[in-house]
Amino acid sequence: MLYLVPTPVGNLEDITLRALRVLKEVDLILAEDTRTSSVLLKHYDIHTPLRSHHKFNEHETSNAVADEIAAGKNVALISDAGTPGISDPGFMLARACIEKGVEVQCLPGATAFVPALIDSGLPCDRFYFEGFLPQKKGRQTRLQQLAEQEHTMIIYESPFRLVKTLEQLAQVLGAERRASVSREISKKFEDTQRGTLVELIEHYKQTPPKGEIVMIVEGKSSKKGDE
């Protein structure tokens, strides 16, 4: 069986008892970055063999791993943080296993966008997950499409590109569109800033951000409903 196992996005205690049991019992753990994952495994005294599986090699290795599982191995896939397949490797391996008739189970657990969405104060009964925007080709087209999105939007971003992305969103969606920026979720310096896009731009120009970032942006329909 292939297990997709969520790992903590910050605090190492944010992992389920079932996830720990699976990581101890499987024959092999596939990790996005073995150095990062080794910290978690060492913390919980887990000594299962570890192998690298990341976005640069998953095209070449997914079928071979699926064959190993079909031959009798139990394998767990983890990412550096959060749930595999959500803006992280996982989809290709899961698809390869399913195509070969291998059972796949995704355990419930940590993912960064859920607490960021709820903390934003924006409508969360329906939402749209964008993940990372294209960095170059297709970026402006994608922003124009998001301008018509009626549900609350979830966008992942690097701290180094945050202000630029907020400025682009303000230009396309409107400076008064409400949003929130959550960073370092579940870590010591966790922080969420809420306001209009222009207010967030000014804040982060004065206070350069650090850490992993999730942006939550108000959808078009909810904006109309407030007018």
Side-chain angles (χ1 to χ4, degrees), residues 31-52:
E32 186 178 4
D33 186 327
T34 55
R35 294 166 299 180
T36 300
S37 298
S38 292
V39 176
L40 174 69
L41 300 181
K42 182 178 180 180
H43 181 80
Y44 285 106
D45 196 29
I46 297 172
H47 303 284
T48 306
L50 199 59
R51 186 191 300 171
S52 178

PDB file of all heavy atoms in Angstrom, residues 31-52:
ATOM      1  N   ALA A  31      10.728  10.852   0.962  1.00  0.00           N
ATOM      2  CA  ALA A  31      10.716  12.201   1.524  1.00  0.00           C
ATOM      3  C   ALA A  31      11.125  13.220   0.480  1.00  0.00           C
ATOM      4  O   ALA A  31      12.013  12.962  -0.343  1.00  0.00           O
ATOM      5  CB  ALA A  31      11.652  12.283   2.730  1.00  0.00           C
ATOM      6  N   GLU A  32      10.491  14.391   0.527  1.00  0.00           N
ATOM      7  CA  GLU A  32      10.828  15.476  -0.386  1.00  0.00           C
ATOM      8  C   GLU A  32      12.278  15.918  -0.178  1.00  0.00           C
ATOM      9  O   GLU A  32      13.015  16.131  -1.139  1.00  0.00           O
ATOM     10  CB  GLU A  32       9.862  16.641  -0.162  1.00  0.00           C
ATOM     11  CG  GLU A  32      10.011  17.771  -1.149  1.00  0.00           C
ATOM     12  CD  GLU A  32       8.995  18.877  -0.912  1.00  0.00           C
ATOM     13  OE1 GLU A  32       8.221  18.798   0.072  1.00  0.00           O
ATOM     14  OE2 GLU A  32       8.974  19.825  -1.701  1.00  0.00           O
ATOM     15  N   ASP A  33      12.676  16.086   1.069  1.00  0.00           N
ATOM     16  CA  ASP A  33      14.055  16.419   1.418  1.00  0.00           C
ATOM     17  C   ASP A  33      14.424  15.559   2.620  1.00  0.00           C
ATOM     18  O   ASP A  33      13.904  15.766   3.722  1.00  0.00           O
ATOM     19  CB  ASP A  33      14.191  17.906   1.736  1.00  0.00           C
ATOM     20  CG  ASP A  33      15.638  18.342   1.957  1.00  0.00           C
ATOM     21  OD1 ASP A  33      16.430  17.527   2.475  1.00  0.00           O
ATOM     22  OD2 ASP A  33      15.965  19.497   1.634  1.00  0.00           O
ATOM     23  N   THR A  34      15.309  14.603   2.418  1.00  0.00           N
ATOM     24  CA  THR A  34      15.628  13.662   3.499  1.00  0.00           C
ATOM     25  C   THR A  34      16.248  14.361   4.700  1.00  0.00           C
ATOM     26  O   THR A  34      16.075  13.918   5.839  1.00  0.00           O
ATOM     27  CB  THR A  34      16.581  12.566   2.990  1.00  0.00           C
ATOM     28  OG1 THR A  34      17.744  13.181   2.418  1.00  0.00           O
ATOM     29  CG2 THR A  34      15.898  11.712   1.922  1.00  0.00           C
ATOM     30  N   ARG A  35      16.960  15.463   4.471  1.00  0.00           N
ATOM     31  CA  ARG A  35      17.570  16.188   5.598  1.00  0.00           C
ATOM     32  C   ARG A  35      16.495  16.807   6.484  1.00  0.00           C
ATOM     33  O   ARG A  35      16.558  16.737   7.710  1.00  0.00           O
ATOM     34  CB  ARG A  35      18.507  17.273   5.072  1.00  0.00           C
ATOM     35  CG  ARG A  35      19.724  16.740   4.333  1.00  0.00           C
ATOM     36  CD  ARG A  35      20.409  17.832   3.562  1.00  0.00           C
ATOM     37  NE  ARG A  35      19.518  18.416   2.559  1.00  0.00           N
ATOM     38  CZ  ARG A  35      19.868  19.404   1.728  1.00  0.00           C
ATOM     39  NH1 ARG A  35      21.083  19.924   1.805  1.00  0.00           N
ATOM     40  NH2 ARG A  35      18.998  19.873   0.845  1.00  0.00           N
ATOM     41  N   THR A  36      15.470  17.420   5.854  1.00  0.00           N
ATOM     42  CA  THR A  36      14.376  18.016   6.621  1.00  0.00           C
ATOM     43  C   THR A  36      13.587  16.946   7.360  1.00  0.00           C
ATOM     44  O   THR A  36      13.276  17.082   8.547  1.00  0.00           O
ATOM     45  CB  THR A  36      13.443  18.802   5.683  1.00  0.00           C
ATOM     46  OG1 THR A  36      14.190  19.832   5.036  1.00  0.00           O
ATOM     47  CG2 THR A  36      12.285  19.415   6.446  1.00  0.00           C
ATOM     48  N   SER A  37      13.256  15.864   6.655  1.00  0.00           N
ATOM     49  CA  SER A  37      12.442  14.809   7.257  1.00  0.00           C
ATOM     50  C   SER A  37      13.184  14.072   8.358  1.00  0.00           C
ATOM     51  O   SER A  37      12.566  13.562   9.304  1.00  0.00           O
ATOM     52  CB  SER A  37      11.983  13.826   6.179  1.00  0.00           C
ATOM     53  OG  SER A  37      11.168  14.485   5.235  1.00  0.00           O
ATOM     54  N   SER A  38      14.497  14.017   8.278  1.00  0.00           N
ATOM     55  CA  SER A  38      15.275  13.329   9.304  1.00  0.00           C
ATOM     56  C   SER A  38      15.098  13.968  10.670  1.00  0.00           C
ATOM     57  O   SER A  38      15.145  13.284  11.699  1.00  0.00           O
ATOM     58  CB  SER A  38      16.761  13.327   8.927  1.00  0.00           C
ATOM     59  OG  SER A  38      16.977  12.522   7.790  1.00  0.00           O
ATOM     60  N   VAL A  39      14.876  15.265  10.697  1.00  0.00           N
ATOM     61  CA  VAL A  39      14.659  15.960  11.966  1.00  0.00           C
ATOM     62  C   VAL A  39      13.389  15.440  12.639  1.00  0.00           C
ATOM     63  O   VAL A  39      13.369  15.133  13.841  1.00  0.00           O
ATOM     64  CB  VAL A  39      14.569  17.484  11.748  1.00  0.00           C
ATOM     65  CG1 VAL A  39      14.234  18.194  13.054  1.00  0.00           C
ATOM     66  CG2 VAL A  39      15.869  18.020  11.163  1.00  0.00           C
ATOM     67  N   LEU A  40      12.310  15.332  11.851  1.00  0.00           N
ATOM     68  CA  LEU A  40      11.043  14.818  12.379  1.00  0.00           C
ATOM     69  C   LEU A  40      11.187  13.370  12.822  1.00  0.00           C
ATOM     70  O   LEU A  40      10.747  12.997  13.922  1.00  0.00           O
ATOM     71  CB  LEU A  40       9.951  14.949  11.318  1.00  0.00           C
ATOM     72  CG  LEU A  40       8.592  14.330  11.673  1.00  0.00           C
ATOM     73  CD1 LEU A  40       7.912  15.122  12.779  1.00  0.00           C
ATOM     74  CD2 LEU A  40       7.695  14.253  10.434  1.00  0.00           C
ATOM     75  N   LEU A  41      11.785  12.551  11.981  1.00  0.00           N
ATOM     76  CA  LEU A  41      11.904  11.126  12.300  1.00  0.00           C
ATOM     77  C   LEU A  41      12.779  10.899  13.530  1.00  0.00           C
ATOM     78  O   LEU A  41      12.476  10.052  14.375  1.00  0.00           O
ATOM     79  CB  LEU A  41      12.462  10.381  11.091  1.00  0.00           C
ATOM     80  CG  LEU A  41      11.610  10.459   9.805  1.00  0.00           C
ATOM     81  CD1 LEU A  41      12.263   9.661   8.692  1.00  0.00           C
ATOM     82  CD2 LEU A  41      10.186   9.982  10.049  1.00  0.00           C
ATOM     83  N   LYS A  42      13.834  11.661  13.644  1.00  0.00           N
ATOM     84  CA  LYS A  42      14.702  11.543  14.826  1.00  0.00           C
ATOM     85  C   LYS A  42      13.956  11.958  16.090  1.00  0.00           C
ATOM     86  O   LYS A  42      14.098  11.325  17.143  1.00  0.00           O
ATOM     87  CB  LYS A  42      15.952  12.402  14.645  1.00  0.00           C
ATOM     88  CG  LYS A  42      16.945  12.301  15.797  1.00  0.00           C
ATOM     89  CD  LYS A  42      18.184  13.146  15.535  1.00  0.00           C
ATOM     90  CE  LYS A  42      19.167  13.045  16.688  1.00  0.00           C
ATOM     91  NZ  LYS A  42      20.391  13.864  16.457  1.00  0.00           N
ATOM     92  N   HIS A  43      13.148  13.007  15.975  1.00  0.00           N
ATOM     93  CA  HIS A  43      12.393  13.493  17.129  1.00  0.00           C
ATOM     94  C   HIS A  43      11.467  12.407  17.677  1.00  0.00           C
ATOM     95  O   HIS A  43      11.277  12.313  18.899  1.00  0.00           O
ATOM     96  CB  HIS A  43      11.573  14.723  16.709  1.00  0.00           C
ATOM     97  CG  HIS A  43      10.778  15.337  17.817  1.00  0.00           C
ATOM     98  ND1 HIS A  43      11.337  16.177  18.759  1.00  0.00           N
ATOM     99  CD2 HIS A  43       9.456  15.225  18.144  1.00  0.00           C
ATOM    100  CE1 HIS A  43      10.398  16.568  19.606  1.00  0.00           C
ATOM    101  NE2 HIS A  43       9.253  16.001  19.263  1.00  0.00           N
ATOM    102  N   TYR A  44      10.899  11.589  16.783  1.00  0.00           N
ATOM    103  CA  TYR A  44       9.964  10.552  17.204  1.00  0.00           C
ATOM    104  C   TYR A  44      10.598   9.158  17.203  1.00  0.00           C
ATOM    105  O   TYR A  44       9.864   8.160  17.261  1.00  0.00           O
ATOM    106  CB  TYR A  44       8.711  10.589  16.323  1.00  0.00           C
ATOM    107  CG  TYR A  44       7.803  11.756  16.677  1.00  0.00           C
ATOM    108  CD1 TYR A  44       7.724  12.872  15.851  1.00  0.00           C
ATOM    109  CD2 TYR A  44       7.074  11.758  17.857  1.00  0.00           C
ATOM    110  CE1 TYR A  44       6.906  13.952  16.180  1.00  0.00           C
ATOM    111  CE2 TYR A  44       6.262  12.827  18.197  1.00  0.00           C
ATOM    112  CZ  TYR A  44       6.187  13.922  17.358  1.00  0.00           C
ATOM    113  OH  TYR A  44       5.382  14.992  17.701  1.00  0.00           O
ATOM    114  N   ASP A  45      11.925   9.102  17.118  1.00  0.00           N
ATOM    115  CA  ASP A  45      12.653   7.844  17.209  1.00  0.00           C
ATOM    116  C   ASP A  45      12.162   6.838  16.159  1.00  0.00           C
ATOM    117  O   ASP A  45      11.915   5.669  16.456  1.00  0.00           O
ATOM    118  CB  ASP A  45      12.512   7.255  18.622  1.00  0.00           C
ATOM    119  CG  ASP A  45      13.549   6.176  18.902  1.00  0.00           C
ATOM    120  OD1 ASP A  45      14.648   6.244  18.322  1.00  0.00           O
ATOM    121  OD2 ASP A  45      13.241   5.252  19.681  1.00  0.00           O
ATOM    122  N   ILE A  46      12.045   7.321  14.933  1.00  0.00           N
ATOM    123  CA  ILE A  46      11.616   6.481  13.814  1.00  0.00           C
ATOM    124  C   ILE A  46      12.839   6.175  12.957  1.00  0.00           C
ATOM    125  O   ILE A  46      13.549   7.081  12.525  1.00  0.00           O
ATOM    126  CB  ILE A  46      10.534   7.192  12.976  1.00  0.00           C
ATOM    127  CG1 ILE A  46       9.276   7.419  13.840  1.00  0.00           C
ATOM    128  CG2 ILE A  46      10.176   6.382  11.732  1.00  0.00           C
ATOM    129  CD1 ILE A  46       8.222   8.283  13.187  1.00  0.00           C
ATOM    130  N   HIS A  47      13.071   4.885  12.693  1.00  0.00           N
ATOM    131  CA  HIS A  47      14.291   4.463  12.007  1.00  0.00           C
ATOM    132  C   HIS A  47      14.004   3.779  10.668  1.00  0.00           C
ATOM    133  O   HIS A  47      14.862   3.060  10.148  1.00  0.00           O
ATOM    134  CB  HIS A  47      15.088   3.531  12.915  1.00  0.00           C
ATOM    135  CG  HIS A  47      15.424   4.143  14.243  1.00  0.00           C
ATOM    136  ND1 HIS A  47      16.414   5.095  14.398  1.00  0.00           N
ATOM    137  CD2 HIS A  47      14.864   3.969  15.471  1.00  0.00           C
ATOM    138  CE1 HIS A  47      16.468   5.453  15.662  1.00  0.00           C
ATOM    139  NE2 HIS A  47      15.542   4.795  16.341  1.00  0.00           N
ATOM    140  N   THR A  48      12.835   4.006  10.107  1.00  0.00           N
ATOM    141  CA  THR A  48      12.479   3.427   8.813  1.00  0.00           C
ATOM    142  C   THR A  48      13.402   3.968   7.716  1.00  0.00           C
ATOM    143  O   THR A  48      13.726   5.155   7.716  1.00  0.00           O
ATOM    144  CB  THR A  48      11.015   3.777   8.480  1.00  0.00           C
ATOM    145  OG1 THR A  48      10.169   3.360   9.572  1.00  0.00           O
ATOM    146  CG2 THR A  48      10.563   3.102   7.195  1.00  0.00           C
ATOM    147  N   PRO A  49      13.836   3.114   6.781  1.00  0.00           N
ATOM    148  CA  PRO A  49      14.676   3.586   5.673  1.00  0.00           C
ATOM    149  C   PRO A  49      14.029   4.754   4.922  1.00  0.00           C
ATOM    150  O   PRO A  49      12.814   4.779   4.719  1.00  0.00           O
ATOM    151  CB  PRO A  49      14.809   2.352   4.777  1.00  0.00           C
ATOM    152  CG  PRO A  49      14.637   1.206   5.708  1.00  0.00           C
ATOM    153  CD  PRO A  49      13.636   1.655   6.736  1.00  0.00           C
ATOM    154  N   LEU A  50      14.869   5.701   4.516  1.00  0.00           N
ATOM    155  CA  LEU A  50      14.413   6.949   3.915  1.00  0.00           C
ATOM    156  C   LEU A  50      15.014   7.075   2.510  1.00  0.00           C
ATOM    157  O   LEU A  50      16.193   6.789   2.306  1.00  0.00           O
ATOM    158  CB  LEU A  50      14.872   8.109   4.797  1.00  0.00           C
ATOM    159  CG  LEU A  50      14.220   9.478   4.688  1.00  0.00           C
ATOM    160  CD1 LEU A  50      12.742   9.401   4.977  1.00  0.00           C
ATOM    161  CD2 LEU A  50      14.900  10.437   5.665  1.00  0.00           C
ATOM    162  N   ARG A  51      14.182   7.518   1.564  1.00  0.00           N
ATOM    163  CA  ARG A  51      14.645   7.719   0.194  1.00  0.00           C
ATOM    164  C   ARG A  51      14.092   9.034  -0.340  1.00  0.00           C
ATOM    165  O   ARG A  51      12.970   9.428  -0.021  1.00  0.00           O
ATOM    166  CB  ARG A  51      14.198   6.563  -0.702  1.00  0.00           C
ATOM    167  CG  ARG A  51      14.760   6.632  -2.127  1.00  0.00           C
ATOM    168  CD  ARG A  51      14.069   5.631  -3.042  1.00  0.00           C
ATOM    169  NE  ARG A  51      14.226   4.252  -2.575  1.00  0.00           N
ATOM    170  CZ  ARG A  51      13.564   3.216  -3.115  1.00  0.00           C
ATOM    171  NH1 ARG A  51      12.722   3.436  -4.127  1.00  0.00           N
ATOM    172  NH2 ARG A  51      13.736   2.003  -2.647  1.00  0.00           N
ATOM    173  N   SER A  52      14.855   9.700  -1.183  1.00  0.00           N
ATOM    174  CA  SER A  52      14.447  10.985  -1.732  1.00  0.00           C
ATOM    175  C   SER A  52      13.390  10.817  -2.826  1.00  0.00           C
ATOM    176  O   SER A  52      13.503   9.948  -3.701  1.00  0.00           O
ATOM    177  CB  SER A  52      15.670  11.710  -2.311  1.00  0.00           C
ATOM    178  OG  SER A  52      15.297  12.933  -2.887  1.00  0.00           O
TER     179      SER A  52
END
